[in-house]
Amino acid sequence: MTGKGPRMNPVRTVARALLAAVFVRGGLDAYNNPDRFADTAAKVTERLGSTLEAVGLPTDPRALARTTGIVQMVGGVMLATNTFTRPVALALAASLVPSTVAGQDLWSEAEPGGQPIDRPEVLKNLGLMGGLLLAAVDTEGKPGLAWRTSHLAEHAQDSVKRAAHTTTKETKRAAQLTAKEARRAAQDAQRTAHTAARDAKQAVKSTAGGLLPG
């Protein structure tokens, strides 16, 4: 086995490159020509001005258009090069939400015949968001977070069981060794006492023999 990681699936590579190209091109256009997107950005700031301020985004339409352009350019390049793909895909999807929300009232406009006007831009945003969400949940054949979490939990449980089993065995072994040592100590003490008693008897006999008249 080599130390190389898994090879990138060619279909994923092409799909991400095509998806990223839309954002790189659109982001570059928004950054270089913010006036073209000022009207849409103005609708976003009117609807979501307080939210934009809360997250630190500009509320000036031109500045918002350029900021969105930067996010989409950088995110598109990272998506195309498979760099932090999943969080980048979520960030790009989030960059489409304001303009999509701001454009929802376009659906209420109608043609002279009473039919609602078809707005391809909104549909395009929704389609791109769908592709980005798929990229965000794509694990490239590797186990997902739920499986890895469950696997880690099972592994931890097995480790605890093995540790408990090992501790029990060691405790029993220590108890057995202690019992053997106690028996050995008792035997040694018994032998010592027996030897002392025998020596005492011999000493008594020798003393008694020395006291008797010859």
Side-chain angles (χ1 to χ4, degrees):
M1 278 182 76
T2 63
K4 296 180 180 179
R7 295 178 60 187
M8 184 67 180
N9 188 308
V11 175
R12 286 190 176 93
T13 302
V14 174
R16 288 176 181 172
L18 293 174
L19 187 59
V22 177
F23 290 95
V24 174
R25 181 66 183 85
L28 183 62
D29 193 16
Y31 182 79
N32 290 331
N33 304 291
D35 292 333
R36 287 184 53 193
F37 303 88
D39 290 342
T40 301
K43 293 179 181 179
V44 173
T45 57
E46 289 174 5
R47 285 175 171 268
L48 307 172
S50 57
T51 303
L52 294 175
E53 289 181 353
V55 298
L57 292 175
T59 55
D60 175 69
R62 293 183 77 258
L64 179 61
R66 299 195 76 178
T67 301
T68 303
I70 293 172
V71 171
Q72 293 185 348
M73 278 192 295
V74 175
V77 172
M78 294 178 71
L79 182 64
T81 56
N82 195 31
T83 305
F84 299 111
T85 303
R86 300 177 75 181
V88 165
L90 290 175
L92 288 174
S95 74
L96 294 173
V97 171
S99 60
T100 305
V101 172
Q104 69 178 351
D105 56 352
L106 297 176
W107 296 91
S108 63
E109 298 179 10
E111 295 178 339
Q115 295 297 322
I117 299 175
D118 185 18
R119 297 297 181 179
E121 190 67 23
V122 177
L123 287 175
K124 185 192 78 172
N125 283 359
L126 294 175
L128 290 173
M129 290 174 66
L132 290 168
L133 292 177
L134 286 176
V137 299
D138 181 21
T139 62
E140 300 182 10
K142 294 179 288 188
L145 180 61
W147 184 90
R148 283 181 287 176
T149 302
S150 174
H151 182 69
L152 287 174
E154 292 177 359
H155 180 70
Q157 188 176 7
D158 291 341
S159 298
V160 170
K161 289 181 180 179
R162 285 196 297 269
H165 181 65
T166 302
T167 302
T168 302
K169 287 177 61 177
E170 293 298 330
T171 301
K172 289 182 179 179
R173 184 179 301 172
Q176 290 174 353
L177 289 175
T178 302
K180 288 181 180 179
E181 291 174 353
R183 286 197 297 269
R184 188 179 297 115
Q187 291 172 355
D188 291 342
Q190 188 177 7
R191 283 195 296 268
T192 301
H194 180 71
T195 300
R198 185 183 59 192
D199 293 342
K201 287 181 181 180
Q202 290 179 352
V204 170
K205 287 181 179 181
S206 298
T207 302
L211 294 175
L212 292 175

